[in-house]
Amino acid sequence: GVCGCCGALRPRYKRLVDNIFPEDPEDGLVKTNMEKLTFYALSAPEKLDRIGAYLSERLIRDVSRHRYGYVCIAMEALDQLLMACHCQSINLFVESFLKMVAKLLESEKPNLQILGTNSFVKFANIEEDTPSYHRSYDFFVSRFSEMCHSSHDDLDIRTKIRMSGIKGLQGVVRKTVNDELQANIWDPQHMDKIVPSLLFNLQHVEEAESRSPSPLQATEKEKESPTELAERCLRELLGRAAYGNIKNAIKPVLIHLDNHSLWEPKIFATCCFRIIMYSIQPQHSHLVIQQLLGHLDANSKSAATVRAGIVEVLSEAAVIAASGSVGPTVLEVFNTLLRQLRLSIDYALTGSYDCTAGVSTKIIKEHEERMFQEAVIKTIGSFASTLPTYQQSEVMVFIMNKVPLPSSQQSIEAGKAGENRNRLTQIMLLKSLLQVSVGFQCSNMLTALPSAFLDRLLSAALMEDAEIRLFVLEILISFIDRHGNRQKFSTISTISDISVLKLKVDKCSRQDTVFMKKHGQQLYRHIYLICKEESNVQAHYEALYSMLMLISIELANEEVVVDLIRLVLAVQEIAQINEDNLTAYNRCALFALGAAYLNLISQLTTVPTFCQHIHEVIQMRQKEAPYLLPEDVFVERPRLSKSLDRLGPEVFFWQSKISEVLGGSGYNSDRLSTPYIPQLTDEDRLSKRKSIGETISLQVEVESRNSPEREQVPSEEITYETLKKAIVDSVAVEEQERERRRQVVEKFQKAPFEEIAAHCGARATLLQSKLNQIFEITIRPPPSPSGTITAAYGQPQNHSIPVYEMKFPDLCVY
């Protein structure tokens, strides 16, 4: 201690350190003496720790005495020693260095805080030869995070402190992220401070930016703001994150957005996750998606605006994740979204977030829930668009299986509330399915529409709700339209030249032919039954028209064209006979639909006589019955007529005439001349489409056609005159047939029950007697104990030998 008072007797390292400080601090570091100190430190590295400790002692004394000039000189000397001395003994020197930096950061003077930060950043850029097992950066993380939230009164000083805090955090990350032996910066205790600090500066755009000089006058440092620096630091942090660290980095983001109510405007939340998705490694994208899904589940009972914000951020993230990976649990993503959709429907119906208690402290606004539901549907579409074709097919089957249908095993809730819930669920799920199908492109219809999926989808087409039927038609249209022709049929019209539509038509492939052979009749039957719905509006007829035309363009061969023409003629018959008591608008719409379709299909088939017949009927309608054409029906104020039962035969398309003109051009005239009659299935009975009267009338009609009285007509010799007469009188015969069918239907609709019961009972008795005779002839009585039985005509017959007792030749035995 006595030696310390005498400068000549002090240790050399202390003398060298003292010599770098000038008498006047404004003169700055004495460079020649600094070079001597640096040479000494390099020559005797074991003295580095003592040099550091002494410098630290002087700096702490100068800080307490407010001699800030000497403080700056001490830090400059420390920086130069750090940059020059890369040896194994630097660890002990670093301890003194960090102690001095911490002392500066603890100071209330902004200049000292900035000075300490700058020194720490220089230290962070040094790559040390040996790791440190005992060094801790907890204080620096906490202090730099606190500086990031500075609220100094002076705006410029506040900006500088915040930028220093961000740079300090960036230095901590760089120093620790690649060294497994040092403090793990990815621990939640650190991430919960670093990430919110960066987000805070991203969120607050300072007013100084608006008052800053023009970019041409500003230097590079002046251009940089806390917001830009925080974004760059956040990108660097996320870019360094490994697979196991993504969760700890994303969780603080979600908590910050929750705490500051940043989901509702959703602009900042979307911006954050856009930065995240572009910064992390692409193969880790699905981890972010899973975090967002889990957060959505955790906020199931939050306000609809909050949930909608999370879902829309999810949608943005999914689009960016398309270039990477959306993970192995694709169906789990859609399962979560559909569950949230179902919960939202329950909230909107019950008005409570707790469906069991029925009491909620929050007021649920129905329009906000509807907004959330639309956001979920949009997100389902965004997710699906990022998937390969085979996974899109799986997703659509998955969604369709969630739709509650009367014909399925899925439970249907009873009561008015249950019906509303079922209906809303059906509509929302079909909307979701439509979103997926719009972006779905598959050349093979067999794989695009598997049987189980198509059966469930078409069963929804028979439901009484008009909106559901329209969704089903739109979904089918989006599947069939593979060349973008849908918009060309958005309006129904009878144009004279279809070349203006510029249709994209390809030859029907073998897979499409197989698909139509397998499912064609099913499609036709549902189109036919949808046409009979009284609740149809213009949108339904436009969708039916598009459906018919797209099948004709995308999936049609000669057989399909013939079946579609038969189908449209049967639809015309629905409107003409009007068994279902349709309104005048429905009937006129069906007539107009048939005219528009036949007008286009005649031009596609390019058969002159067919085109001529269709054109003649359309011209006749324009003169005598314009209300049977789409130009008068499918307008804002349709012009209709109530005298539809008194129309002349010249305004109808006749099956016999079409069969004649197309048969002469190589089409199957026998099939064309056969009226289209859909087969009734269990599906129709479940959908409650058919009344008892209709079913009986159909049975009676079939019986009357196949009755013995009709079969006993003597065969007539076929001559040229007979054929000529048949062709000429075919129109009259068709009219008579329709009149006969109308009378049968009218009888069963208006006759007394006793008369109908007696009529059906007589037929049933006759049928039963015939069956009894057949049974007596074919069915044998049980064998008698003697081994012989007596046949119906009294002659004995041998008892049949059991198979296991029969003797077979050796060659027959395997």
Side-chain angles (χ1 to χ4, degrees):
V2 174
C3 293
C5 298
C6 181
L9 300 176
R10 300 180 73 189
R12 187 183 179 193
Y13 74 90
K14 286 190 177 182
R15 294 198 306 271
L16 290 172
V17 170
D18 289 338
N19 291 339
I20 67 173
F21 291 95
E23 292 184 5
D24 186 359
E26 292 184 2
D27 293 342
L29 184 68
V30 181
K31 293 184 179 179
T32 54
N33 292 336
M34 185 65 216
E35 290 174 0
K36 293 178 183 179
L37 178 61
T38 304
F39 179 76
Y40 177 78
L42 289 171
S43 303
E46 68 277 2
K47 300 290 185 180
L48 258 178
D49 57 333
R50 298 183 183 182
I51 293 172
Y54 184 59
L55 269 172
S56 173
E57 181 184 334
R58 286 203 57 153
L59 182 135
I60 292 171
R61 185 172 66 242
D62 290 336
V63 169
S64 61
R65 294 176 181 178
H66 305 290
R67 298 194 296 188
Y68 300 123
Y70 288 122
V71 171
C72 294
I73 291 171
M75 291 309 299
E76 186 179 352
L78 278 170
D79 292 343
Q80 290 191 22
L81 285 173
L82 270 176
M83 300 300 291
C85 302
H86 288 227
C87 62
Q88 294 182 357
S89 302
I90 200 174
N91 276 334
L92 296 176
F93 175 70
V94 168
E95 294 301 322
S96 300
F97 169 78
L98 293 178
K99 185 178 179 182
M100 286 184 279
V101 171
K103 186 67 178 177
L104 292 179
L105 294 176
E106 287 174 349
S107 171
E108 295 181 359
K109 295 288 183 181
N111 290 338
L112 293 185
Q113 296 175 15
I114 295 169
L115 179 65
T117 303
N118 292 338
S119 293
F120 183 85
V121 171
K122 291 176 184 176
F123 160 71
N125 291 326
I126 296 175
E127 293 185 8
E128 299 180 51
D129 296 334
T130 56
S132 173
Y133 296 91
H134 59 280
R135 197 179 298 162
S136 173
Y137 294 95
D138 293 2
F139 166 78
F140 295 99
V141 171
S142 301
R143 183 62 186 142
F144 288 138
S145 299
E146 188 179 344
M147 290 169 66
C148 288
H149 292 83
S150 172
S151 57
H152 198 280
D153 295 335
D154 190 325
L155 181 61
D156 292 333
I157 294 176
R158 182 167 72 232
T159 301
K160 288 178 181 178
I161 294 175
R162 287 186 180 182
M163 290 184 70
S164 293
I166 297 168
K167 289 177 182 176
L169 290 177
Q170 194 175 25
V172 173
V173 172
R174 287 178 180 175
K175 196 66 182 171
T176 59
V177 75
N178 292 325
D179 193 345
E180 295 180 359
L181 296 175
Q182 295 193 14
N184 188 1
I185 202 67
W186 301 107
D187 285 345
Q189 59 179 347
H190 299 311
M191 283 290 107
D192 290 346
K193 297 173 184 175
I194 294 173
V195 174
S197 301
L198 299 176
L199 293 178
F200 176 79
N201 284 278
L202 265 178
Q203 178 186 350
H204 291 84
V205 180
E206 296 295 347
E207 298 175 3
E209 291 185 12
S210 61
R211 299 200 302 264
S212 62
S214 65
L216 294 174
Q217 298 172 351
T219 63
E220 286 297 322
K221 290 185 178 179
E222 287 174 337
K223 286 181 186 176
E224 197 168 48
S225 66
T227 304
E228 294 168 352
L229 188 61
E231 180 179 340
R232 193 163 69 248
C233 184
L234 182 62
R235 289 183 185 277
E236 183 179 344
L237 175 70
L238 294 167
R240 295 171 180 267
Y243 182 87
N245 302 326
I246 293 289
K247 182 178 179 181
N248 289 343
I250 301 301
K251 189 175 180 181
V253 178
L254 299 173
I255 294 172
H256 181 82
L257 296 174
D258 284 343
N259 292 341
H260 295 273
S261 302
L262 296 173
W263 291 112
E264 296 179 30
K266 83 173 184 278
I267 299 170
F268 178 72
T270 305
C271 174
C272 283
F273 275 91
R274 194 176 286 122
I275 291 171
I276 291 169
M277 296 305 293
Y278 281 121
S279 301
I280 62 174
Q281 299 176 39
Q283 64 268 27
H284 300 159
S285 298
H286 68 279
L287 294 174
V288 181
I289 302 295
Q290 287 176 359
Q291 286 282 96
L292 280 167
L293 288 169
H295 197 66
L296 180 61
D297 276 339
N299 283 272
S300 292
K301 295 185 179 180
S302 299
T305 50
V306 173
R307 284 178 282 132
I310 299 173
V311 166
E312 293 196 24
V313 170
L314 196 56
S315 176
E316 291 279 342
V319 174
I320 299 171
S323 59
S325 164
V326 291
T329 56
V330 173
L331 292 181
E332 186 58 34
V333 173
F334 291 94
N335 193 30
T336 301
L337 291 172
L338 294 178
R339 182 169 64 248
Q340 291 298 323
L341 198 61
R342 186 65 183 259
L343 283 173
S344 176
I345 292 170
D346 289 339
Y347 295 158
L349 288 173
T350 60
S352 168
Y353 288 121
D354 190 355
C355 299
T356 56
V359 179
S360 178
T361 56
K362 299 178 182 176
I363 299 173
I364 295 180
K365 297 178 181 177
E366 193 172 346
H367 72 278
E368 290 181 354
E369 290 295 338
R370 197 176 301 115
M371 178 189 68
F372 168 72
Q373 292 160 12
E374 294 297 333
V376 171
I377 291 168
K378 176 189 170 187
T379 304
I380 287 173
S382 299
F383 260 114
S385 64
T386 66
L387 301 175
T389 303
Y390 75 94
Q391 282 189 328
Q392 286 183 347
S393 298
E394 290 177 2
V395 168
M396 288 187 287
V397 172
F398 180 75
I399 295 174
M400 194 64 225
N401 287 336
K402 295 277 186 181
V403 179
L405 298 173
S407 56
S408 67
Q409 299 297 324
Q410 197 165 347
S411 60
I412 297 291
E413 297 181 50
K416 188 172 179 61
E419 289 176 6
N420 290 337
R421 184 175 287 107
N422 289 330
R423 179 182 177 277
L424 286 173
T425 305
Q426 290 158 354
I427 289 174
M428 291 303 165
L429 291 178
L430 289 173
K431 267 189 180 180
S432 306
L433 190 57
L434 180 59
Q435 282 285 328
V436 179
S437 65
V438 165
F440 182 72
Q441 291 293 331
C442 183
S443 56
N444 190 348
M445 293 297 294
L446 282 171
T447 56
L449 291 170
S451 297
F453 173 79
L454 187 62
D455 290 344
R456 286 185 61 83
L457 182 62
L458 290 176
S459 64
L462 298 180
M463 301 184 75
E464 295 181 4
D465 192 282
E467 191 175 0
I468 292 176
R469 293 200 307 273
L470 186 58
F471 276 126
V472 173
L473 287 172
E474 293 292 342
I475 291 167
L476 288 170
I477 287 168
S478 64
F479 276 118
I480 298 171
D481 182 23
R482 293 168 291 181
H483 294 89
N485 292 314
R486 167 73 171 93
Q487 295 303 320
K488 297 166 186 176
F489 304 119
S490 56
T491 57
I492 308 177
S493 62
T494 53
I495 58 175
S496 57
D497 184 10
I498 64 167
S499 61
V500 298
L501 297 177
K502 296 180 181 179
L503 300 174
K504 296 177 183 178
V505 184
D506 284 344
K507 187 178 179 181
C508 182
S509 64
R510 190 180 67 84
Q511 292 93 339
D512 291 342
T513 303
V514 173
F515 173 79
M516 289 307 291
K517 283 186 177 178
K518 187 175 182 182
H519 299 295
Q521 295 301 323
Q522 194 179 10
L523 287 172
Y524 305 149
R525 189 172 69 85
H526 283 80
I527 292 173
Y528 179 86
L529 293 174
I530 292 173
C531 286
K532 299 177 74 171
E533 292 296 334
E534 191 175 352
S535 57
N536 288 343
V537 295
Q538 182 174 338
H540 291 85
Y541 296 113
E542 289 173 349
L544 287 165
Y545 175 66
S546 299
M547 179 93 167
L548 290 167
M549 286 312 306
L550 288 170
I551 293 175
S552 305
I553 292 172
E554 298 279 353
L555 306 171
N557 52 22
E558 182 181 314
E559 184 179 344
V560 173
V561 170
V562 168
D563 284 340
L564 287 172
I565 292 172
R566 291 172 59 223
L567 172 63
V568 171
L569 292 172
V571 169
Q572 177 187 255
E573 191 175 343
I574 292 174
Q576 191 175 353
I577 298 177
N578 197 22
E579 296 177 354
D580 299 284
N581 296 320
L582 299 175
T583 63
Y585 173 77
N586 295 128
R587 296 177 69 184
C588 290
L590 291 179
F591 282 126
L593 174 67
Y597 175 75
L598 290 173
N599 174 59
L600 282 187
I601 198 66
S602 65
Q603 297 181 57
L604 285 174
T605 55
T606 63
V607 178
T609 50
F610 184 30
C611 293
Q612 182 182 356
H613 170 65
I614 302 301
H615 187 60
E616 286 174 356
V617 175
I618 290 175
Q619 280 187 327
M620 191 61 67
R621 287 188 179 186
Q622 289 172 346
K623 292 178 183 177
E624 298 185 6
Y627 45 83
L628 302 184
L629 293 174
E631 288 76 10
D632 276 29
V633 177
F634 300 116
V635 291
E636 187 176 352
R637 293 182 179 179
R639 293 183 288 275
L640 307 176
S641 172
K642 295 183 179 179
S643 59
L644 295 175
D645 294 327
R646 295 193 294 272
L647 293 171
E650 65 278 358
V651 297
F652 297 122
F653 301 100
W654 293 106
Q655 192 157 359
S656 57
K657 182 66 176 176
I658 294 174
S659 174
E660 177 188 343
V661 295
L662 286 180
S665 299
Y667 287 83
N668 189 340
S669 57
D670 291 340
R671 192 173 182 84
L672 272 168
S673 59
T674 307
Y676 173 77
I677 300 176
Q679 297 177 350
L680 297 179
T681 63
D682 294 339
E683 203 173 25
D684 302 317
R685 286 189 283 276
L686 284 167
S687 63
K688 301 177 182 178
R689 281 287 171 274
K690 296 294 170 188
S691 65
I692 296 174
E694 287 178 282
T695 308
I696 295 174
S697 66
L698 188 61
Q699 292 172 351
V700 172
E701 183 181 342
V702 172
E703 287 176 3
S704 61
R705 285 184 175 181
N706 301 327
S707 61
E709 291 81 3
R710 290 177 64 89
E711 293 177 359
Q712 290 173 5
V713 177
S715 60
E716 186 178 346
E717 185 181 356
I718 300 175
T719 62
Y720 172 75
E721 293 296 329
T722 308
L723 290 172
K724 182 179 178 181
K725 183 178 179 182
I727 293 171
V728 171
D729 296 344
S730 59
V731 174
V733 171
E734 284 191 13
E735 287 183 355
Q736 291 175 3
E737 181 70 13
R738 288 196 184 90
E739 179 63 24
R740 187 189 64 78
R741 291 176 63 185
R742 190 188 63 76
Q743 290 175 357
V744 171
V745 172
E746 186 177 354
K747 174 182 177 182
F748 276 88
Q749 287 179 342
K750 298 180 179 179
F753 176 76
E754 291 78 7
E755 183 180 340
I756 296 172
H759 179 78
C760 293
R763 287 184 173 275
T765 306
L766 179 62
L767 178 61
Q768 188 63 42
S769 64
K770 293 289 184 184
L771 286 173
N772 290 338
Q773 291 179 13
I774 294 168
F775 291 155
E776 287 177 2
I777 295 170
T778 56
I779 297 177
R780 299 175 181 176
S784 62
S786 62
T788 61
I789 57 172
T790 305
Y793 299 102
Q795 297 179 1
Q797 295 183 357
N798 292 328
H799 176 59
S800 60
I801 302 172
V803 175
Y804 57 83
E805 291 183 3
M806 289 184 179
K807 301 296 183 183
F808 291 97
D810 293 339
L811 291 176
C812 296
V813 180
Y814 177 69

